[in-house]
Amino acid sequence: MDQLELLKQNWKLRDQEHPRLSYDQIYNMLFKRSTSIVKWIFIISLLELFFWIGLYFVSPKSSFEIIEKLGMNTVMLIFNIVHYIVVIVFIYCFYKNYISIKVTENTKSLMQNILRTRKTVRYFVIYNVSAFILTLGIINYYYYTKSDLLLEVFSDVYGMDSFPPDFLTYFFTAQIIVGIVLILLLVLFYRLVYGILLRKLYKNYRELKKIEL
């Protein structure tokens, strides 16, 4: 049994002459836990941003050559600029949520900040998964509509002189399979990391609701 549960039991068993002390102890415990969770949400979102930026710099040069030769540079540049602006806005919202919850002075405000944080994280996850799917869709759309040029690009970049008759069929099948796997891994990551934090945060919300009644 953790410290919070012990405090709750002591609060219920305590004589009526000292109810406020136990209430404050429980509130402070929930406040510290909630503040820590929101701080970690902010930190993880920053680490995630740095991860994707780092991945860009370690990507194979051939990938950029293919994008350039297929005439996708402008589209991908615009998409990336918009994407990172949106992500930075979300991170700023996480920071604001952390500051807001850090200076919370009553139970009602703390509960409101918890719900606001949960909603922001959900929108963040939905956006990132949708953006990832859209990116894969854009890339493969260009590959498919310019399949003849794609073969020429592969020949130039990888030095391939000839291709099997079903090369494009196998290529796009592999693209679909790899894309689905990557999407599932991304969703799994969000469920494990942000999902755990949100469940803990909502547990704190329920406990606050009990002591507020």
Side-chain angles (χ1 to χ4, degrees), residues 155-168:
S155 180
D156 292 339
V157 174
Y158 298 112
M160 300 174 67
D161 297 327
S162 60
F163 300 90
D166 296 327
F167 174 79
L168 288 177

Side-chain angles (χ1 to χ4, degrees), residues 49 53 56 72-89 127 131 135:
L49 174 63
I53 293 175
Y56 173 84
M72 299 168 58
N73 272 350
T74 302
V75 174
M76 295 306 299
L77 177 63
I78 294 173
F79 182 84
N80 283 329
I81 290 173
V82 173
H83 171 67
Y84 283 112
I85 288 174
V86 174
V87 169
I88 290 171
V89 169
Y127 168 76
T135 302

